[in-house]
Amino acid sequence: MANPRLRALTRWGKWAKKDWAIAAVGFTIILFALTLLFDSRNPATPDLLSAQDLVPLTLLHRAKATGAFCLDGSLPGYHFQKGFGSGSNNWLLHIEGGGWCNSIETCNIRKRTALGSSNYMDRLVSFAGILSRHPSQNPDFYNWNIVKIRYCDGASLAGHPESEFKNGTKLFFRGHLIWEAIMSELLSLGLSKAKQALLSGCSAGGLATLIHCDDFRDHLPKDATIKCLADAGFFLDEPDVLGNRTMSAFYHDVLQLQGVAKSLHKKCVRRMEPSKCIFPLEIIENVRTPLFIVNPAYDFWQIQHILVPTESDPHGYWRRCRLSIQECDSTQIGTLQGFRSSLLKALSKLEKDKEGGMFINSCFVHCQTWMAETWHSPNSPRINNKTIAESVGDWYFGRKPSKEIDCPHPCNPTCYNMDFTRGV
Ligand SMILES: *[C@@H]1O[C@H](CO)[C@@H](O)[C@H](O)[C@H]1NC(C)=O
Ligand SMILES: *[C@@H]1O[C@H](CO)[C@@H](O)[C@H](O)[C@H]1NC(C)=O
Ligand SMILES: *[C@@H]1O[C@H](CO)[C@@H](O)[C@H](O)[C@H]1NC(C)=O
């Protein structure tokens, strides 16, 4: 148990209920990764694992000039793998996920983790799936310049310093400045001459992708092909099983605390309650750049935090179903099907958009692009026999229309369904 992530997990039980929502993305992603590691004892996968390459962290020194700091005042960072061959002028950016912090207390906890401070970030991370430089794992983007942007502001790279406390509370809300500093650095490294580029991210990073997509586009040459891909970032503005608007209230607090409204579309913020405008349904109304949405229909993070947050299940009726879709009874499956319908409804406009793409598989999972097993491998989840990598590639390069919507659970045998009842 030398791994600091594992040590962090053992502290989990002491956390208050409220903190749970915030750090849960990071937590569940780590669990997911661990589960895949355990599954990888299966002889079909070791070559995929050994093909994951470690890429060093670069601290963003230019961030000092504009005060673009992580929550704790440390420098933000990114990992960069240079492109080669025909990919030399192409760029893929991927924004890390990890939930949000909605209060001084939860941001203070976060600033003592890698999601709030570069002092705690791993110096080497593995580049797999959409980040991989192996064509067998990443057929379309393997030779591009690939950047993983670390997430350390707690507000999807969209907070503003005006809302910081002037009374000595040491928390930096500089998400938007971090985004600008990262762009400025990458533009100077060659992004400004990109011929093709794709901004992507998972979970809170998928949301950041949607928020910054048009700005990304506007920084790059007019004649370049620029698109955006949000993985597990399509959070729904749905009530929980008691009818409380838990997610909406949570986002309301994040916006208030970190001044996020300034990063959202003015047209939306003028028209409605600003915290509505951070939901992807509203964001994509105003995005001009072509978008692809990868999202499982039964995204376990959304089920555990939007549909059935722990507070909404005081009697534990959902306890097992929240942890594994195999454990849900027929009434619960009915509720999950309703959630899937809400997702499809929210995506119906994008479905009609000629430039849009989507891959909505009926799996109980969360992020799927940065792991070889879910992005592109012999055992990957598929819809109509296509992997996520093939669908995204078909859309990006305009090879064929790419709007894949799976039949409802339990029809797809290719799913990687998470099972948190095992060994947790
Ligand atoms: C600073 O201001 C915030 C917000 O008003 C408050 O919650 C916090 O307790 C204050 N901190 C100190 C040290 O006074
Ligand atoms: C959620 O809804 C229930 C029943 O409608 C209500 O009693 C409870 O106070 C609500 N909880 C929160 C946190 O709003
Ligand atoms: C599915 O695709 C694989 C290659 O990706 C191919 O070998 C296989 O024959 C296809 N299966 C069907 C049923 O089309």
Side-chain angles (χ1 to χ4, degrees), residues 104 165 167-169:
I104 298 175
F165 310 112
N167 63 359
T169 304

Side-chain angles (χ1 to χ4, degrees), residues 204-222:
L207 185 67
T209 297
L210 296 173
I211 292 173
H212 295 295
C213 179
D214 282 343
D215 184 59
F216 178 67
R217 203 293 145 243
D218 293 343
H219 273 94
L220 300 180
K222 291 257 175 308

Side-chain angles (χ1 to χ4, degrees), residues 240-246 249 311-312:
D240 65 28
V241 287
L242 285 185
N244 293 327
R245 305 206 75 91
T246 307
E311 314 85 90
S312 72

Side-chain angles (χ1 to χ4, degrees), residues 69-291:
F69 302 125
C70 298
L71 280 174
D72 71 331
S74 62
L75 291 175
Y78 64 92
H79 305 256
F80 175 46
Q81 180 173 272
K82 205 165 163 34
F84 55 94
S86 60
S88 304
N89 292 315
N90 300 340
W91 288 74
L92 185 139
L93 276 53
H94 186 86
I95 307 172
E96 180 185 31
W100 308 268
C101 61
N102 65 334
S103 66
I104 298 175
E105 300 75 55
T106 54
C107 289
N108 268 328
I109 293 170
R110 178 176 286 252
K111 83 180 188 190
R112 282 175 238 119
T113 73
L115 290 172
S117 166
S118 55
N119 296 330
Y120 299 91
M121 288 176 190
D122 287 337
R123 265 37 197 176
L124 292 171
V125 299
S126 76
F127 270 28
I130 196 172
L131 306 176
S132 169
R133 59 188 180 86
H134 298 276
S136 62
Q137 205 184 110
N138 191 19
D140 285 311
F141 307 110
Y142 70 96
N143 61 359
W144 288 30
N145 295 283
I146 298 185
V147 181
K148 176 172 175 155
I149 298 171
R150 298 303 293 261
Y151 175 41
C152 67
D153 62 289
S156 286
L157 299 175
H160 287 266
E162 291 80 359
S163 53
E164 284 166 11
F165 310 112
K166 310 289 185 255
N167 63 359
T169 304
K170 278 264 160 36
L171 275 175
F172 296 84
F173 299 146
R174 307 283 170 94
H176 196 87
L177 292 173
I178 296 175
W179 165 253
E180 287 178 347
I182 291 265
M183 281 304 290
S184 141
E185 175 119 336
L186 299 180
L187 288 165
S188 77
L189 289 177
L191 176 62
S192 63
K193 297 195 200 76
K195 295 224 168 17
Q196 300 183 304
L198 178 60
L199 176 65
S200 73
C202 114
S203 198
L207 185 67
T209 297
L210 296 173
I211 292 173
H212 295 295
C213 179
D214 282 343
D215 184 59
F216 178 67
R217 203 293 145 243
D218 293 343
H219 273 94
L220 300 180
K222 291 257 175 308
D223 59 349
T225 305
I226 314 296
K227 303 190 178 190
C228 300
L229 161 67
D231 175 15
F234 209 91
F235 300 97
L236 291 181
D237 184 8
E238 286 285 302
D240 65 28
V241 287
L242 285 185
N244 293 327
R245 305 206 75 91
T246 307
M247 192 63 192
S248 175
F250 180 77
Y251 272 160
H252 177 267
D253 294 347
V254 176
L255 259 72
Q256 287 276 313
L257 182 71
Q258 297 219 35
V260 173
K262 268 187 78 176
S263 293
L264 302 175
H265 207 279
K266 286 185 192 61
K267 227 155 85 190
C268 181
V269 174
R270 268 202 304 269
R271 229 177 58 235
M272 58 179 92
E273 165 60 34
S275 57
K276 288 251 170 220
C277 302
I278 196 170
F279 283 101
L281 171 64
E282 297 302 333
I283 299 177
I284 67 173
E285 279 289 306
N286 294 303
V287 173
R288 296 169 270 115
T289 309
L291 280 179

Side-chain angles (χ1 to χ4, degrees), residues 297-298 337 340 344 360-363 382-384 404-413 415:
Y298 316 99
Q337 303 300 19
R340 171 178 179 269
L344 297 183
I360 309 299
N361 52 345
S362 290
C363 306
R382 288 165 191 260
I383 304 178
N384 297 326
E404 304 294 346
I405 297 178
D406 213 348
C407 47
H409 173 83
C411 71
N412 190 336
C415 277

